[in-house]
């Protein structure tokens, strides 16, 4: 089979260490899009071999995050597949077996150097201006030498024997990449206590899961010259599916100050986006722009459109700048595209979370929300912003309060005169719809009192919504209804 006719199999393989980094989310997205574009398989695997750092909670968090994003996987946890298990913690015997086979065939060897010995030699190499990687001292120990070290009670690590030649490969994003042998020394694949390292588990899993393309962050570029010869050894030994994957390294995502965006930066971890109410489709659309473009000046597209158009060859190798404002603007676009009914449904959890709706909202509340949603859809960039805007509608009359600052500024003596006349005008209305409300208030306040609209409506807005900034006033009053509106105006007058 040629590379191009082989069915595409890609993977996303994070470690379960808490809040997923947005850079990782972008990696997941590009793998997913590549798989979908080629009608291939998207494998989800969890690299949970670091018992000290990994937790069950983070593992569940990862599954939950991927589900929330809508990046569905074809093989992996909970979905299954023929080449599982898909958690490294359940594959430990495989790594031991492979390490032993690699040693037996001479691709790897036991090295007995103590950390102190290694450090001494490294220092010396540095002092002489030589490369400070492993010097290969234990590459070819005789059986007697090994036995002597064993007799001393030393426990060996397993090192992979790097070929003494340059490693050249064609990166799917950056073209030909060459690593000279002095920059890639024999590396440890298994600790002295038998614990396999990422350097082993990751390529072994890629090989045994038949991964054809490895798309991952640029921070892992230096692992690739180590992994390619290991893959070749596995193919030689008949371990795995006989594929040496192609590699593509996605550009760094830069945060504020032109530093690599870290999980700890505001905006670095996925949880913030969920909490603030980014839509998964909005966030993913923005992340797609970090290194890729769908063509022309087009910036807004769906996940499906991305999958159809995705071309790894068009990923730009230069670092991508993360722009939070742009991310919000893209999200706002998707919010507007949702349509009222869907947007209302997505707002529910945020209103429930803020205590404005009960866990099982009533029909009346849902109807009110559906009616109010058009008032906020153009004004929010993230869903959580709707909470403050709509609070005045969902809060009970007992709990309703006016923002003290806004009240002090607008509900002055003059302001209260306006409120009084608004109350009288609205009390006289028979039909309480937006047009009648607007006509009545204009007649009473603008024409009747000779006020500029801002001075006329400001105090009314604060009295009924509690704040100087609210959704459009007349629509808001209609939704609030006559009784509640008059009650709030009255309350402002008697406060
Ligand atoms: N578990 C590794 C990480 O999260 C995956 C590395 C890879 O894609 O090869 O960085």
């Amino acid at each position: 089979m040629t590379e191009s006719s082989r069915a595409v199999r890609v993977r996303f393989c994070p470690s379960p260490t808490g809040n997923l980094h947005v850079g990782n989310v972008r990696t997941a997205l590009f793998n997913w899009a590549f798989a979908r574009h080629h009608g291939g398989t998207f494998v989800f695997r969890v690299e949970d071999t670091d018992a000290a750092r990994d937790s069950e909670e983070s593992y569940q968090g990862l599954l939950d995050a991927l589900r929330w994003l809508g990046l569905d996987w074809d093989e992996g946890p909970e979905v299954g597949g023929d080449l599982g298990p898909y958690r490294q913690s359940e594959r430990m015997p495989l790594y031991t077996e492979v390490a032993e086979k690699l040693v037996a065939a001479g691709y790897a060897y036991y090295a007995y150097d103590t950390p102190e010995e290694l450090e001494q030699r490294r220092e010396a190499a540095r002092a002489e201006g030589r490369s400070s990687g492993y010097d290969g001292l234990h590459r070819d120990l005789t059986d007697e030498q090994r036995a002597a070290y064993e007799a001393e009670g030393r426990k060996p690590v397993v090192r992979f024997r790097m070929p003494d030649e340059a490693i050249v490969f064609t990166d799917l994003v950056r073209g030909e990449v060459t690593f000279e042998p002095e920059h890639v020394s024999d590396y440890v694949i298994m600790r002295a206590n038998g614990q396999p390292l990422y350097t082993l588990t990751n390529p072994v899993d890629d090989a045994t899961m038949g991964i054809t393309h490895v798309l991952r962050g640029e921070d892992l570029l230096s692992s690739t010259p180590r992994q390619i010869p290991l893959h070749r050894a596995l193919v030689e030994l008949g371990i795995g599916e006989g594929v040496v994957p192609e590699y593509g390294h996605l550009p760094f995502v830069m945060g504020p100050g032109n530093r690599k965006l870290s999980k700890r930066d505001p905006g670095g971890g996925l949880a913030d986006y969920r909490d603030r109410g980014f839509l998964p489709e909005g966030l993913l659309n923005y992340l797609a722009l970090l290194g890729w473009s769908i063509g022309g000046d087009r910036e807004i597209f769906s996940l499906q459109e991305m999958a159809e158009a995705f071309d790894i060859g068009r990923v730009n190798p230069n670092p991508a700048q993360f722009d939070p404002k742009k991310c919000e603007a893209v999200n706002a676009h998707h919010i507007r595209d949702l349509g009222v009914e869907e947007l209302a449904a997505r707002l529910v959890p945020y209103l429930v979370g803020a205590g404005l709706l009960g866990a099982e909202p009533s029909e009346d509340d849902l109807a009110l929300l559906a009616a109010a949603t058009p008032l906020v859809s153009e004004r929010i960039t993230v869903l959580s912003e709707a909470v403050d805007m709509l609070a005045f509608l969902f809060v009970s009359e007992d709990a309703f309060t006016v923002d003290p600052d806004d009240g002090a500024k607008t509900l002055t003596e003059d302001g209260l005169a306006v409120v009084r006349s608004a109350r009288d005008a609205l009390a006289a209305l028979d039909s309480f719809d937006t047009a009648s409300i607007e006509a009545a208030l204009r007649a009473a306040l603008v024409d009747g009192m000779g006020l500029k609209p801002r001075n006329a409506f400001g105090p009314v807005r604060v009295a009924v919504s509690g704040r100087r900034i609210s959704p459009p006033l007349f629509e808001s009053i209609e939704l609030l209804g006559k009784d509640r509106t008059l009650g709030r105006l009255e309350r402002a007058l008697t406060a």
Side-chain angles (χ1 to χ4, degrees):
M1 229 189 296
T2 65
E3 292 295 323
S4 55
S5 68
R6 183 186 285 132
V8 161
R9 291 177 59 83
V10 292
R11 74 337 186 242
F12 175 56
C13 53
S15 304
T17 45
N19 196 0
L20 205 52
H21 181 262
V22 290
N24 279 135
V25 176
R26 192 217 25 199
T27 299
L29 171 65
F30 282 31
N31 277 285
W32 178 90
F34 186 77
R36 294 292 169 263
H37 182 81
H38 292 283
T41 302
F42 178 52
V43 178
F44 176 29
R45 168 174 94 222
V46 181
E47 304 210 321
D48 59 346
T49 48
D50 187 348
R53 282 175 39 206
D54 304 337
S55 74
E56 192 59 27
E57 196 186 332
S58 309
Y59 166 75
Q60 288 300 339
L62 267 184
L63 266 61
D64 190 42
L66 235 60
R67 273 204 211 91
W68 178 76
L69 289 164
L71 299 176
D72 56 321
W73 58 97
D74 307 304
E75 288 178 26
E78 297 189 353
V79 170
D82 293 341
L83 301 172
Y86 295 90
R87 285 181 81 167
Q88 287 190 333
S89 55
E90 294 169 10
R91 301 167 65 81
M92 288 302 184
L94 171 68
Y95 309 126
T96 313
E97 186 192 318
V98 172
E100 281 165 4
K101 285 185 179 164
L102 287 168
V103 171
Y107 289 109
Y109 58 90
Y110 295 115
Y112 293 84
D113 321 79
T114 64
E116 296 73 31
E117 287 167 350
L118 289 173
E119 188 48 37
Q120 265 179 11
R121 273 148 48 207
R122 234 179 264 133
E123 287 280 308
R126 269 192 221 113
E128 292 168 25
R130 285 184 287 118
S131 144
S132 59
Y134 185 65
D135 55 10
L137 196 66
H138 288 199
R139 256 190 165 193
D140 298 299
L141 295 181
T142 61
D143 288 350
E144 290 72 35
Q145 287 171 312
R146 284 193 53 201
Y149 283 129
E150 298 273 348
E152 278 178 37
R154 293 197 191 195
K155 292 262 175 282
V157 299
V158 179
R159 282 187 187 269
F160 186 77
R161 188 189 302 271
M162 281 295 295
D164 296 315
E165 64 195 26
I167 303 293
V168 184
F169 63 95
T170 305
D171 188 287
L172 296 164
V173 174
R174 38 204 78 229
E176 190 172 285
V177 180
T178 303
F179 283 87
E180 296 300 337
E182 59 268 30
H183 297 306
V184 199
S185 53
D186 295 353
Y187 59 95
V188 178
I189 58 177
M190 190 169 266
R191 290 207 176 94
N193 64 5
Q195 169 94 28
L197 295 178
Y198 161 80
T199 50
L200 178 68
T201 57
N202 180 276
V204 165
D205 285 351
D206 286 345
T208 52
M209 293 179 186
I211 299 304
T212 57
H213 298 79
V214 169
L215 310 180
R216 59 186 177 188
E218 186 178 344
D219 48 325
L220 290 158
L221 181 61
S222 62
S223 295
T224 302
R226 295 178 170 81
Q227 294 181 351
I228 287 175
L230 176 47
H231 272 288
R232 291 184 183 141
L234 296 176
V235 172
E236 288 293 319
L237 293 175
I239 298 170
E241 302 290 303
V243 185
V244 177
E246 293 184 63
Y247 288 83
H249 294 89
L250 308 174
F252 282 127
V253 178
M254 310 304 276
N258 226 19
R259 282 180 302 107
K260 241 181 83 186
L261 188 68
S262 108
K263 196 149 71 173
R264 283 165 297 279
D265 282 325
L270 181 64
D272 297 354
Y273 293 85
R274 273 179 88 161
D275 293 349
R276 289 180 58 207
F278 273 81
L279 305 180
E281 54 268 55
L283 178 63
L284 290 175
N285 182 162
Y286 178 68
L287 294 180
L289 303 177
L290 298 176
W292 183 73
S293 106
I294 198 164
D297 294 337
R298 191 161 164 218
E299 290 190 322
I300 305 297
F301 43 84
S302 70
L303 213 48
Q304 220 42 54
E305 289 169 319
M306 177 183 183
E308 274 160 33
F310 191 71
D311 176 2
I312 186 71
R314 290 236 325 276
V315 172
N316 185 333
N318 297 321
Q321 187 67 42
F322 191 93
D323 176 351
K325 283 280 163 254
K326 177 106 184 251
C327 185
E328 286 174 11
V330 169
N331 194 61
H333 215 107
H334 283 271
I335 285 182
R336 290 197 291 276
D337 284 352
L338 280 181
V340 170
E341 206 178 322
E342 178 64 21
L343 175 54
R346 301 233 203 163
L347 289 174
V348 169
Y350 292 86
L351 295 171
V352 171
L356 292 168
L357 287 180
E360 300 280 332
S362 67
E363 289 293 317
D364 285 353
D365 275 347
L366 290 178
L368 184 58
L369 177 58
T373 298
L375 306 189
V376 298
S377 66
E378 302 278 334
R379 292 180 169 75
I380 56 174
T381 57
V382 292
L383 298 175
S384 63
E385 285 170 355
V387 170
D388 273 357
M389 290 183 191
L390 295 178
F392 78 97
L393 270 182
F394 292 94
V395 69
S396 71
E397 293 314 302
D398 291 345
F400 173 78
T401 53
V402 168
D403 178 276
D405 218 36
D406 289 351
K409 286 204 177 89
T410 48
L411 299 177
T412 55
E413 208 172 308
D414 288 349
L416 290 175
V418 174
V419 169
R420 198 169 298 119
S421 129
R423 177 201 57 189
D424 296 343
L426 294 177
L429 279 182
D430 287 329
S431 118
F432 209 71
D433 55 74
T434 298
S436 317
I437 292 163
E438 175 166 5
L441 290 179
R442 281 194 192 282
L445 311 179
V446 180
D447 305 338
M449 296 179 79
L451 295 170
K452 294 208 174 74
R454 196 164 66 92
N455 299 336
F457 303 130
V460 181
R461 185 188 300 279
V462 172
V464 298
S465 78
R467 302 168 65 212
R468 280 194 295 170
I469 296 174
S470 78
L473 181 62
F474 311 121
E475 285 87 341
S476 297
I477 291 178
E478 178 186 342
L479 289 178
L480 198 56
K482 190 168 177 180
D483 288 351
R484 293 174 85 194
T485 303
L486 293 178
R488 289 187 189 184
L489 292 170
E490 199 60 58
R491 218 163 121 168
L493 290 169
T494 53

